[in-house]
Amino acid sequence: MYPAVLAGEHSFEANEHPVSNNPTGADNQQERLILTGWVVGFVDGEGCFSIGFLNQPDKSNRKGYKTRIQVFHEFAVTQGARSLNALQTLRQFFGVGSIIVNRRTDNHKEPLYRYVVRKRDELLQVIIPFFRQHPLQTAKRDDFEKFAQCVEWMASDYHLTQDGLEVIAQLAATMNRRKDRSDRIRILRDHTPDASTTR
């Protein structure tokens, strides 16, 4: 769990029985195909694949924090309370992840809910294989491929090396372009020993 990401949010328990378990018969297979198409389209429009960085200067003696930077990954889909059933469908479909509520106090008139998958094993075994078999159709496909590459690098502990951390940060900086890539590079430069400047 990542405190910087989860601040102000609370877990929401979803159905633990995914609809993806062994569909049988022509009708079920047809329904599965229709649902698969809906999932791809919904994530194309509302999903987000992100790689984030959290400064951990006091944990450099622990294996996962040798660079003093924690790298985390998240697949998320956000909706208002009136569309919570769509997130529950995603949770049931994939059989992994959780739904959390962020009780916002800004101009939103209803709580926002997020379906999130953060566990690396669930990303590697469920989410990434699904979207490779059923590709997204918009520019978000490029973000997904970069996300998948970063998660796979992290599975091999590449992010625990100085070179690996820089490579992952630079690739992540090209994703979800709404955020200035300099933010990620600044984190490396200011908080990581011997970090080189961006090439």
Side-chain angles (χ1 to χ4, degrees):
M1 307 295 276
Y2 309 108
V5 177
L6 294 179
E9 298 175 342
H10 306 280
S11 294
F12 177 87
E13 295 300 326
N15 190 335
E16 294 298 325
H17 304 288
V19 296
S20 55
N21 282 352
N22 301 321
T24 57
D27 288 343
N28 284 341
Q29 291 176 9
Q30 182 65 21
E31 289 174 8
R32 173 70 179 179
L33 286 173
I34 293 171
L35 186 55
T36 295
W38 176 83
V39 167
V40 171
F42 189 47
V43 171
D44 240 332
E46 303 293 335
C48 182
F49 300 92
S50 60
I51 302 293
F53 304 87
L54 188 64
N55 296 324
Q56 296 284 8
D58 300 327
K59 297 183 180 181
S60 58
N61 59 333
R62 293 174 55 183
K63 179 191 174 188
Y65 304 90
K66 290 180 179 178
T67 61
R68 297 188 291 181
I69 300 287
Q70 179 184 6
V71 187
F72 57 91
H73 33 55
E74 178 185 83
F75 162 57
V77 182
T78 303
Q79 291 290 291
R82 287 176 294 178
S83 298
L84 175 59
N85 63 326
L87 300 186
Q88 291 171 327
T89 299
L90 284 180
R91 171 65 183 85
Q92 293 172 341
F93 181 85
F94 287 117
V96 297
S98 59
I99 297 175
I100 55 179
V101 57
N102 180 11
R103 302 190 185 284
R104 300 186 62 160
T105 57
D106 56 12
N107 60 350
H108 287 269
K109 296 180 180 179
E110 59 181 353
L112 289 181
Y113 289 82
R114 302 176 74 227
Y115 168 64
V116 296
V117 183
R118 296 186 175 116
K119 291 182 179 178
R120 191 170 303 158
D121 286 349
E122 293 177 351
L123 292 169
L124 289 169
Q125 296 170 17
V126 179
I127 302 301
I128 290 174
F130 175 81
F131 287 108
R132 281 188 169 151
Q133 184 177 359
H134 306 283
L136 297 165
Q137 300 299 306
T138 68
K140 197 164 290 179
R141 181 176 180 177
D142 186 50
D143 283 341
F144 162 74
E145 292 296 347
K146 293 173 181 177
F147 173 83
Q149 178 66 81
C150 289
V151 174
E152 289 166 349
W153 277 335
M154 292 172 69
S156 65
D157 289 342
Y158 188 40
H159 64 299
L160 302 182
T161 69
Q162 182 62 42
D163 287 345
L165 181 62
E166 289 188 49
V167 169
I168 290 171
Q170 290 182 28
L171 185 59
T174 67
M175 298 168 57
N176 306 314
R177 284 307 190 95
R178 287 171 296 184
K179 191 167 184 179
D180 188 346
R181 68 189 300 269
S182 63
D183 288 348
R184 294 184 175 93
I185 302 306
R186 179 186 49 76
I187 289 174
L188 292 179
R189 185 181 65 246
D190 294 347
H191 300 282
T192 308
D194 302 320
S196 60
T197 57
T198 306
R199 290 183 292 275

